[in-house]
Amino acid sequence: MITHDKRGHAQFGRLEGFLQLLILVNLIAFAFETLPDLSPGMQRAFAWFETFSVMVFTIEFVTRVALSRPPMGYVRSFMGVIDLISIVPFYLGLAFDLRSMRAIRLMRIFRIFKLARYSAAIRRFQQAFRYAREELVLFGAAALIVLYLAGVGIYQFEHEAQPQVFASVFHSLWWAVVTLTTVGYGDAYPITAGGRIFTSLVLIVGLGIVAIPTGLLAAALTKARDHEKDLEIEEKKQRETQSGPQ
């Protein structure tokens, strides 16, 4: 039942279907656990199910590490990190009280990313992010610079007119975030002529902030799809060669 993909990572054949189902049930159970006034019996049932799930995911992780070639290659992979993160909160909870550490407890939700192993579309997104990684990092750095400049600019225009709303550059950065992302909650807005003109320029730049990464990812997805087609053609040729005259 156990095979290996092109990267040398272990695959479990039909057992993968059971793992998919267990992941989905875990996500549903996580949502039900947030319901108020759960009976003690239901709380114990969810606790036992969580323990069972973690045991299965732990065995899965250890088995994949042991059977992958090389083993550490799987640990350093995206899916290896996700598999590890999905079980870590449980073991941390055995040593520490996580009731006050909601961020760590919420790491359980990372189990949803385990489904990426079974979806060609999600794997394609992962490959696209790899292709566009450098461009996205460069764009992210540029966006942070523009964000800071927008915060400084609106502070200069609006601080005297609205000292409570734009009390500092840090307060102004909130306005910069919602304006550059074109959300515009309306809790902070300019009232001076200079501030309104500056806001108009920031809104125009904000359209680019939204559009540029979309274009980068679209191009990367096309490249990832073309790469998949090339691999499929190569595999088909190899199968035809192997099934040729003996």
Side-chain angles (χ1 to χ4, degrees):
M1 295 178 63
I2 296 177
T3 58
H4 293 82
D5 60 16
K6 295 181 179 180
R7 296 168 296 177
H9 297 171
Q11 303 292 321
F12 297 152
R14 294 182 180 179
L15 280 177
E16 300 282 4
F18 167 74
L19 293 173
Q20 292 182 60
L21 179 61
L22 184 60
I23 294 168
L24 292 173
V25 176
N26 262 262
L27 298 175
I28 296 173
F30 180 83
F32 273 103
E33 286 181 36
T34 63
L35 290 173
D37 303 325
L38 281 178
S39 66
M42 289 298 296
Q43 293 177 7
R44 286 193 298 271
F46 282 126
W48 279 109
F49 178 70
E50 171 68 8
T51 302
F52 167 75
S53 300
V54 171
M55 294 301 102
V56 173
F57 291 142
T58 301
I59 294 172
E60 175 203 4
F61 177 74
V62 173
T63 305
R64 289 188 190 277
V65 171
L67 298 180
S68 295
R69 298 291 180 268
M72 291 306 298
Y74 176 74
V75 176
R76 292 191 295 266
S77 69
F78 172 79
M79 290 311 307
V81 173
I82 292 298
D83 287 346
L84 182 60
I85 291 177
S86 67
I87 60 177
V88 162
F90 177 83
Y91 294 108
L92 288 178
L94 298 178
F96 306 99
D97 184 3
L98 299 185
R99 286 176 296 180
S100 60
M101 304 171 65
R102 294 183 60 85
I104 294 180
R105 294 174 62 198
L106 286 174
M107 287 170 62
R108 290 168 52 194
I109 203 65
F110 273 79
R111 290 172 190 171
I112 194 173
F113 294 109
K114 290 168 67 68
L115 292 173
R117 179 182 288 114
Y118 312 104
S119 172
I122 295 178
R123 289 197 300 270
R124 196 174 301 136
F125 264 106
Q126 180 184 352
Q127 187 66 30
F129 273 106
R130 287 192 187 130
Y131 286 144
R133 179 174 53 193
E134 293 183 1
E135 290 82 359
L136 290 174
V137 170
L138 179 61
F139 171 78
L144 289 176
I145 293 174
V146 173
L147 179 67
Y148 178 77
L149 293 177
V152 172
I154 198 66
Y155 172 77
Q156 296 296 329
F157 282 110
E158 295 293 324
H159 173 63
E160 292 186 4
Q162 303 184 77
Q164 293 182 342
V165 178
F166 299 95
S168 68
V169 170
F170 294 104
H171 291 79
S172 303
L173 285 174
W174 168 249
W175 170 90
V177 170
V178 298
T179 303
L180 282 170
T181 55
T182 67
V183 176
Y185 288 118
D187 55 343
Y189 55 89
I191 60 175
T192 66
R196 290 175 177 175
I197 294 173
F198 180 76
T199 299
S200 300
L201 296 175
V202 172
L203 284 170
I204 295 173
V205 174
L207 296 177
I209 294 290
V210 174
I212 291 176
T214 304
L216 290 174
L217 285 176
L221 281 170
T222 301
K223 185 177 180 180
R225 181 56 181 161
D226 292 340
H227 179 67
E228 285 185 0
K229 289 182 179 179
D230 292 339
L231 290 177
E232 291 174 359
I233 294 174
E234 183 179 346
E235 290 178 355
K236 183 178 180 181
K237 289 181 178 179
Q238 289 179 353
R239 287 195 299 268
E240 291 176 350
T241 301
Q242 293 173 358
S243 61
Q246 300 296 325

